């Protein structure tokens, strides 16, 4: 008889995608098909807190099995659209947490929300329907308007 | 001239008087509204207190409900997705469609549903909703079905009768790739279908996280294959 042990303490790493904001991207054609596909692949290389583990184009291209040139073009394009952004206080490249959150979406750290607020103040990036606002200890999700 | 000035003063006085009356009425209305609000809130609190007393007598307690976040999220199982990427299992177009489809997933069932009409989406509707070409969408969805990323329920009686499916095919996304809801509470029927007709495994790709369920369990959950003990 095969007995399957089901440990209860392990959880897979997940990327939480904000449905309303993805719908906004689809409806307003914010991203091309290639960019959307690349963005999803990039989440694999992100750690909780949405920071990319590596910023080297060569490494990213190697891990995602893409050409360096294409990877560079797509990264540049996503940075221009503010889907990816360079941190101000924290070093590194981040995936915009209002699109997808690596880890728990109810536990977005305040420093990441501050980075998003700065982007919003500079009016960079689309006007997402679902936005992150600073809460007392972590980010909270609110509908725009 | 003197008459004109007098008339002007009189008109001004009347206007002032009207304004004062209006302000007084507004103030009164505001006070009335506040009083009503206060009494309503008071009544509610009294009711809550009575309920709490009754609950305490029966060894229960009332707790204040925390305001929950209403944001909806679909989860992509990162390690499984990475595994598929490493094996170049899906094309870029297929991945992009899959991400778009995540916005149409029903919470808890992973079924692709119409967001306004609350029923299964037809491929035509999916194409319309995602602003894609029908032909392209149909081809991509068929490829995703072949690859086991999307599953479909088919009514065999329709095939027997008409030779093909004539109503909308309920489609749902493989919960081993993406899931809308609690990933530790995956619908057992859906899990059974995924486990039994595992196209990804048949294509010799072993995803690191697979669905498992204990006999007679109501839900299935994702278990890491390496850590799974036999």
């Amino acid at each position: 008889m095969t007995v399957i042990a089901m440990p209860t303490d392990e959880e897979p790493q997940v990327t939480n995608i904000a449905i309303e904001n993805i719908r906004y991207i689809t409806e307003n054609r914010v991203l091309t098909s290639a960019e959307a596909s690349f963005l999803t692949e990039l989440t694999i290389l992100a750690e909780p807190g949405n920071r990319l583990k590596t910023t080297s184009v060569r490494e990213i291209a190697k891990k995602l099995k893409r050409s360096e040139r294409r990877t560079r073009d797509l990264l540049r394009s996503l940075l221009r659209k503010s889907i990816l952004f360079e941190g101000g206080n924290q070093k590194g490249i981040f995936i915009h947490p209002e699109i997808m959150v690596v880890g728990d979406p109810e536990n977005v750290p305040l420093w990441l929300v501050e980075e998003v607020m700065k982007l919003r103040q500079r009016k960079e990036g689309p006007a997402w329907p679902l936005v992150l606002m600073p809460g007392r200890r972590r980010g909270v999700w609110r509908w725009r308007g | 001239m003197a008459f004109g000035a007098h008339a002007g003063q009189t008109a001004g006085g009347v206007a002032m008087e009207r304004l004062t009356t209006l302000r007084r009425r507004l103030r009164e209305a505001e006070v009335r509204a506040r009083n009503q609000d206060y009494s309503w809130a008071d009544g509610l609190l009294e009711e809550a207190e009575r309920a709490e007393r009754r609950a305490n007598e029966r060894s229960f307690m009332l707790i204040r409900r925390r305001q929950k976040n209403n944001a909806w999220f679909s989860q992509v199982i990162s390690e499984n997705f990475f595994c598929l990427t490493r094996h170049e299992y899906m094309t870029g177009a297929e991945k992009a469609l899959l991400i778009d489809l995540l916005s149409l997933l029903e919470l808890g069932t992973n079924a692709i549903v119409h967001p306004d009409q609350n029923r299964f989406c037809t491929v035509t509707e999916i194409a319309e909703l995602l602003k894609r070409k029908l032909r392209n969408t149909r081809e991509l969805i068929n490829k995703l079905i072949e690859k086991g990323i999307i599953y479909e329920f088919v009514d065999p009686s329709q095939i027997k009768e008409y030779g093909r499916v004539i109503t909308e095919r309920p489609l749902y996304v493989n919960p081993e790739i993406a899931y809308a809801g609690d990933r530790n509470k995956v619908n057992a029927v859906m899990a059974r279908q995924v486990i039994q007709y595992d196209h990804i495994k048949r294509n010799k790709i072993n995803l690191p996280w697979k669905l498992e369920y204990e006999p007679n369990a109501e839900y299935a959950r994702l278990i890491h294959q390496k850590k799974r003990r036999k």
Side-chain angles (χ1 to χ4, degrees), chain B residues 34-65:
Chain B
R34 271 189 199 161
N35 285 343
Q36 272 175 3
D37 248 17
Y38 181 74
S39 59
W40 173 80
D42 253 15
L44 200 70
L45 275 177
E46 276 170 21
E47 209 172 299
E49 273 171 18
R50 273 201 301 275
E52 193 176 19
R53 269 200 301 276
R54 277 206 305 274
N56 288 343
E57 281 165 15
R58 291 170 196 178
S59 310
F60 287 100
M61 62 187 277
L62 294 185
I63 53 166
R64 185 168 165 258
R65 194 175 67 178

Side-chain angles (χ1 to χ4, degrees), chain B residues 139-199:
Chain B
E139 278 173 13
L140 285 172
I141 285 181
N142 285 337
K143 276 183 193 163
L144 288 174
I145 291 172
E146 277 172 32
K147 289 181 180 182
I149 306 296
I150 292 178
Y151 281 80
E152 63 176 333
F153 281 116
V154 176
D155 181 3
S157 66
Q158 282 183 11
I159 298 174
K160 274 181 196 164
E161 201 170 343
Y162 303 102
R164 64 187 181 92
V165 182
I166 54 158
T167 55
E168 69 260 31
R169 300 172 292 173
L171 299 169
Y172 65 90
V173 173
N174 185 340
E176 288 177 349
I177 312 298
Y179 192 63
D182 186 349
R183 61 183 175 273
N184 289 323
K185 283 186 175 179
V186 178
N187 185 300
V189 178
M190 185 165 61
R192 198 180 286 268
Q193 191 182 2
V194 171
I195 292 166
Q196 197 155 348
Y197 307 101
D198 197 341
H199 297 274

Side-chain angles (χ1 to χ4, degrees), chain A residues 44-130:
Chain A
I44 299 158
L45 305 179
E47 55 192 14
N50 279 26
R51 191 206 316 253
L52 292 186
K53 286 174 196 162
T54 171
T55 51
S56 148
V57 175
R58 185 170 291 177
E59 270 182 55
I60 294 173
K62 200 178 163 188
K63 282 195 174 164
L64 301 182
K65 292 194 171 179
R66 285 172 176 265
S67 74
E68 271 186 50
R69 192 178 162 186
R70 188 84 182 115
T71 307
R72 187 174 289 114
D73 286 349
L74 286 167
L75 278 173
R76 207 172 279 165
S77 164
L78 289 177
L79 279 164
R80 201 178 49 240
K81 291 181 180 178
S82 294
I83 305 296
L84 298 179
F85 63 89
E86 282 184 55
N89 299 334
Q90 306 265 340
K91 271 190 178 178
I93 293 180
F94 297 84
I95 298 173
H96 202 304
E98 283 170 356
I99 308 167
M100 39 184 82
V101 180
V102 180
D104 186 2
E106 306 291 321
N107 203 7
V108 180
L110 274 179
W111 58 263
L112 188 56
V113 181
E114 275 169 25
E115 298 280 4
V116 172
M117 295 288 284
K118 276 182 204 165
L119 281 182
R120 208 176 296 147
Q121 276 162 9
R122 293 201 297 265
K123 295 192 175 168
E124 287 177 19
W128 306 113
L130 197 62

Side-chain angles (χ1 to χ4, degrees), chain B residues 77-91:
Chain B
I77 315 299
S78 301
E79 285 175 61
N80 286 354
F81 196 80
F82 186 41
C83 181
L84 294 180
T85 303
R86 236 180 27 223
H87 285 87
E88 295 179 45
Y89 191 64
M90 283 194 282
T91 63

